Amino acid sequence: MGSLGTMLRYPDDIYPLLKMKRAIEKAEKQIPPEPHWGFCYSMLHKVSRSFSLVIQQLNTDLRNAVCVFYLVLRALDTVEDDTSIPTDEKVPILIAFHRHIYNTDWHYSCGTKEYKVLMDQFHHVAAAFLELEKGYQEAIEEITKRMGAGMAKFICQEVETVDDYDEYCHYVAGLVGLGLSKLFLAGGSEVLTPDWEAISNSMGLFLQKTNIIRDYLEDINEIPKSRMFWPREIWGKYADKLEDLKYEENSTKSVQCLNELVTNALMHIEDCLKYMAALRDPSIFRFCAIPQIMAIGTLALCYNNVQVFRGVVKLRRGLTAKVIDRTKTMADVYGAFYDFSCMLKTKVDKNDPNASITLNRLEAVQKLCIDTGVLNNRKSYVDDKGQPNNVFIIMVVILLAIVFAYLRAN
């Protein structure tokens, strides 16, 4: 649930953490009895607990479609990520993957841990896919086909320019945004705006760029071959080789490169806010909004943070629980984006090469949120300073003393 030290430092996290723990336990107990659906939901819990929790917001038909969609793309991603698969073997699999989802006999052994299980028993996912309504099937097949082709393209070429970067992120995440919009439309829950394709794409790009920034060290240390998604057009200003950024002697340049990539990701925020503001179904809104808030929070943590090149940087579990607990309306989203953009703004070094661009983008986001007129009378996500609450500490000590005395007596 979280370390005792962290809970003492952030006592406001405890109630949301307990609620999230209970929600996860409840979701794990609601595994469908049918073997193929049971496998799908069990696997979803294993590969992404937070996603499996958020998906519970959706109605049954849409939840099943999104679950299958997620696992199909996870399987496709597992093939792409496995650097031990020879290129001449990997590319045909990626290109033909949209056909495999109709074949309950198909499987391909690759990946590690739970992803290997997903690939070895992919027939369960195919069986579940075949039970979906035709509208859902068509949307999933189309996006899988386009994504597989895009992944195959970038297996054979590196991400050189910022345009390449946007194109790669479109294939692996922007298409997810488009696919989800198609599923929402097929389920009759939403009406798409005229610019839905562009802003759906931005929803995916914002999440993907956040992941690529955060996962630099994991990707560059991948065995047997590094995965390199940062565009040379940006990192080439700061280093001769992308892996050089992880070395301590290059810390100043590394952080400047990191900051430019975060600044690049900020350009998608206005589209994301427009997309979420147009959603009508409260459950779909929460499903879409929670990951977006976690993304802006993660960018705020990563910005100007050399730890991105040393280890794992991520939101503390208690803050994630708060986001899940508090995100109910668009006012909550505007509040969260305002708070995290303010947090990020305080970290901008005026001597950073991209400081003026970063500040301009942050101020545009802040103005957009302020102009909605909904920022008053709300709880801030980041206003606590992480200071221990003395009364709370005393209560914990007393409670532990009571528990210890009870155990001694029995």
Side-chain angles (χ1 to χ4, degrees):
M1 187 175 77
S3 70
L4 179 60
T6 303
M7 287 191 289
L8 291 176
R9 195 174 175 203
Y10 300 98
D12 286 349
D13 289 357
I14 293 178
Y15 181 61
L17 276 168
L18 288 172
K19 287 183 70 175
M20 186 171 75
K21 186 173 185 296
R22 290 187 63 187
I24 290 172
E25 290 172 350
K26 181 180 178 182
E28 288 174 344
K29 290 177 181 177
Q30 293 179 332
I31 301 297
E34 301 88 351
H36 50 297
W37 285 112
F39 175 85
C40 288
Y41 280 97
S42 296
M43 187 55 57
L44 190 63
H45 293 314
K46 291 175 183 175
V47 298
S48 179
R49 276 193 159 194
S50 57
F51 186 83
S52 70
L53 182 59
V54 175
I55 202 178
Q56 297 300 321
Q57 313 294 325
L58 305 175
N59 68 61
T60 302
D61 288 345
L62 182 57
R63 181 169 68 241
N64 286 343
V66 172
C67 175
V68 171
F69 184 46
Y70 183 88
L71 292 178
V72 166
L73 299 188
R74 269 294 188 177
L76 184 63
D77 190 55
T78 300
V79 176
E80 186 211 20
D81 283 350
D82 193 329
T83 54
S84 68
I85 305 173
T87 298
D88 59 353
E89 184 178 335
K90 179 182 291 189
V91 169
I93 295 173
L94 294 173
I95 292 173
F97 207 91
H98 66 285
R99 292 198 291 268
H100 298 319
I101 60 179
Y102 286 95
N103 184 357
T104 55
D105 293 324
W106 185 87
H107 63 89
Y108 181 78
S109 187
C110 66
T112 60
K113 300 178 181 177
E114 60 269 18
Y115 299 104
K116 187 177 187 309
V117 177
L118 173 62
M119 297 305 298
D120 287 341
Q121 301 187 46
F122 191 77
H123 62 279
H124 287 305
V125 181
F129 170 80
L130 292 173
E131 290 187 2
L132 298 177
E133 293 179 8
K134 189 171 181 59
Y136 291 139
Q137 289 182 350
E138 290 173 347
I140 293 172
E141 180 188 3
E142 179 198 344
I143 297 301
T144 304
K145 181 179 181 179
R146 293 170 65 183
M147 186 178 292
M151 286 178 169
K153 177 179 178 178
F154 279 93
I155 293 296
C156 303
Q157 73 175 64
E158 293 189 358
V159 180
E160 294 284 344
T161 67
V162 172
D163 285 344
D164 289 342
Y165 183 45
D166 286 344
E167 184 182 6
Y168 173 75
C169 290
H170 164 73
Y171 285 133
V172 300
L175 286 173
V176 179
L178 268 68
L180 287 171
S181 294
K182 286 174 175 288
L183 294 180
F184 301 156
L185 182 65
S189 303
E190 298 292 342
V191 176
L192 302 181
T193 59
D195 60 350
W196 72 272
E197 290 196 30
I199 60 178
S200 297
N201 187 59
S202 289
M203 289 280 283
L205 263 63
F206 188 58
L207 297 182
Q208 183 65 20
K209 288 183 177 182
T210 299
N211 291 341
I212 286 175
I213 291 166
R214 180 198 63 199
D215 294 341
Y216 164 84
L217 192 63
E218 178 186 338
D219 289 336
I220 209 70
N221 288 337
E222 180 74 19
I223 295 173
K225 181 182 176 183
S226 296
R227 292 181 293 171
M228 295 185 283
F229 304 117
W230 288 23
R232 185 187 296 270
E233 184 179 340
I234 291 179
W235 66 257
K237 302 175 190 177
Y238 306 96
D240 293 329
K241 294 185 291 185
L242 183 55
E243 57 264 34
D244 290 346
L245 296 175
K246 69 181 180 180
Y247 300 122
E248 193 168 345
E249 60 266 27
N250 300 324
S251 294
T252 300
K253 290 292 186 181
S254 299
V255 168
Q256 290 175 349
C257 179
L258 166 68
N259 292 347
E260 183 168 349
L261 281 163
V262 172
T263 302
N264 172 275
L266 297 177
M267 73 171 69
H268 302 293
I269 290 179
E270 292 175 58
D271 274 357
C272 294
L273 292 174
K274 184 177 182 180
Y275 181 95
M276 290 183 281
L279 294 172
R280 304 184 307 175
D281 186 291
S283 63
I284 291 176
F285 168 78
R286 277 175 49 80
F287 171 78
C288 293
I290 290 169
Q292 297 292 325
I293 293 175
M294 292 173 68
I296 181 64
T298 300
L299 289 180
L301 283 182
C302 288
Y303 185 85
N304 216 37
N305 187 351
V306 74
Q307 281 302 119
V308 170
F309 305 97
R310 306 285 182 267
V312 179
V313 176
K314 62 180 181 179
L315 295 177
R316 71 177 189 275
R317 192 164 175 78
L319 187 52
T320 297
K322 276 185 181 177
V323 170
I324 293 172
D325 185 47
R326 294 181 182 178
T327 305
K328 296 180 173 65
T329 68
M330 197 59 206
D332 300 322
V333 172
Y334 288 127
F337 271 79
Y338 180 82
D339 287 342
F340 284 120
S341 60
C342 288
M343 175 182 168
L344 201 159
K345 190 177 178 181
T346 64
K347 298 170 72 177
V348 177
D349 181 348
K350 296 294 176 67
N351 295 317
D352 186 89
N354 294 281
S356 60
I357 301 173
T358 309
L359 289 171
N360 287 340
R361 288 185 179 166
L362 290 171
E363 287 163 4
V365 171
Q366 290 172 331
K367 183 178 186 304
L368 192 158
C369 295
I370 291 169
D371 288 350
T372 63
V374 298
L375 296 186
N376 297 326
N377 302 319
R378 63 190 178 84
K379 291 183 178 180
S380 171
Y381 287 87
V382 293
D383 62 355
D384 61 86
K385 303 298 182 184
Q387 297 299 322
N389 183 310
N390 291 332
V391 174
F392 176 76
I393 293 173
I394 292 169
M395 292 175 62
V396 169
V397 170
I398 292 172
L399 180 61
L400 291 174
I402 293 170
V403 172
F404 183 70
Y406 175 80
L407 293 174
R408 288 279 305 268
N410 290 274

